[in-house]
């Protein structure tokens, strides 16, 4: 898979899907949502972006960089159980007619995104929401500690 | 205030209280707690360490690097409303007799810590716990995004 370097970021080169995720996370800030990437809500599932809103809303965004990337994903319906709203995020070259109806849609690049269609709301049950919020918090705090203090994770 | 450089960390020099916080956060990992530092649970209060346990427990740890540091803090009782357990963390030179009974105590340095006395449990009410957990998640995710993608926070 081709990697693209983003010279303004100071980060390692990002894969195309990671570029979209970066733009999505930036855009979500403008809705007062905070985000993490590549979170595992349950073994066997990994979401590209999970976002937490100001009222505790949980959104999941799957970033699809190409037709092949989308068509190789047989798991996305499994993500619906882990969020209040679900979106795909694609770039402007993506054939959006491929995407199923009844899902949210964001148009993204590495710098920003916009919401073209809201995902329908399927609110999490309270116990699930509590577990997902705690999982989000643990994921974010662990990654943050890993960056702030690499010595905390020897080996 | 004197700053101490930790050559193994690759981070900017840390203040004495921040060194203790680093050791505390490392130790808390061994209890399966994740941690953030310098979180503001409510305007006017800032906790040195807030930790989230595997069952959703919230602990707050205030790091006191000296007698003067402790005696200048008139806010610590306010932290009790924002956690299930409260601890002070001090280094081995600290005169622990100064500390109030009925609080937890950790002995820490920049590399690790140990729990000498558990803080008594005062469990958060469910609505408060939900708000604190969301606040923890938002704090961690924002700081993480700021480190991963500095361009997300222009200006």
């Amino acid at each position: 898979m081709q990697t693209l370097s983003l010279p303004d970021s100071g980060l390692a080169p990002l894969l195309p899907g990671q570029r979209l995720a970066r733009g999505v996370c930036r855009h979500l800030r403008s809705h007062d949502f905070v985000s993490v990437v590549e979170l595992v809500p349950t073994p066997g599932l990994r979401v590209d972006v999970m976002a937490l809103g100001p009222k505790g809303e949980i959104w999941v965004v799957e970033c699809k960089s190409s037709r092949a990337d989308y068509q190789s994903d047989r798991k996305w319906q499994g993500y619906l159980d882990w969020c209040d709203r679900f979106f795909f995020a694609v770039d402007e070259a993506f054939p959006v007619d491929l995407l199923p109806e009844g899902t949210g849609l964001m148009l993204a690049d590495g710098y920003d995104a916009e919401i073209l269609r809201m995902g329908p709301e399927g609110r999490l049950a309270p116990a699930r929401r509590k577990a997902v919020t705690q999982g989000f918090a643990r994921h974010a705090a662990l990654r943050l500690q890993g960056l702030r203090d690499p010595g905390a994770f020897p080996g």
Side-chain angles (χ1 to χ4, degrees), chain A:
Chain A
M1 186 177 279
Q2 184 189 12
T3 61
L4 295 171
S5 173
L6 293 170
D8 66 323
S9 71
L11 301 174
L14 299 174
L15 297 170
Q18 292 172 325
R19 292 183 67 232
L20 298 181
R22 196 182 77 157
V24 165
C25 291
R26 287 187 180 187
H27 179 69
L28 287 168
R29 286 294 306 129
S30 69
H31 294 278
D32 200 16
F33 277 65
V34 299
S35 307
V36 295
V37 297
E38 299 176 6
L39 179 144
V40 176
T42 191
L45 278 186
R46 192 175 68 166
V47 304
D48 290 335
V49 176
M50 181 175 278
L52 174 67
K55 295 177 180 172
E57 311 95 315
I58 302 283
W59 291 1
V60 164
V61 186
E62 281 302 292
C63 300
K64 297 301 177 194
S65 60
S66 66
R67 175 191 295 260
D69 186 19
Y70 171 68
Q71 289 178 333
S72 67
D73 182 359
R74 301 179 184 283
K75 291 182 173 176
W76 72 265
Q77 285 165 308
Y79 303 142
L80 301 178
D81 293 337
W82 301 93
C83 59
D84 296 309
R85 294 186 195 273
F86 175 83
F87 300 80
F88 285 108
V90 299
D91 66 19
E92 60 184 4
F94 189 94
V96 295
D97 289 346
L98 282 183
L99 298 173
E101 294 182 14
T103 56
L105 178 60
M106 298 188 192
L107 187 66
D109 61 22
Y111 300 91
D112 202 353
E114 63 177 312
I115 298 173
L116 297 186
R117 187 171 70 218
M118 284 294 281
E121 188 173 48
R123 288 183 64 77
L124 292 168
R128 173 64 62 91
R129 179 184 310 283
K130 184 177 176 181
V132 172
T133 303
Q134 284 183 18
F136 180 107
R138 289 182 69 84
H139 175 102
L142 276 176
R143 298 307 180 285
L144 178 62
Q145 188 178 14
L147 290 177
R148 289 171 57 102
D149 180 18
F153 300 90

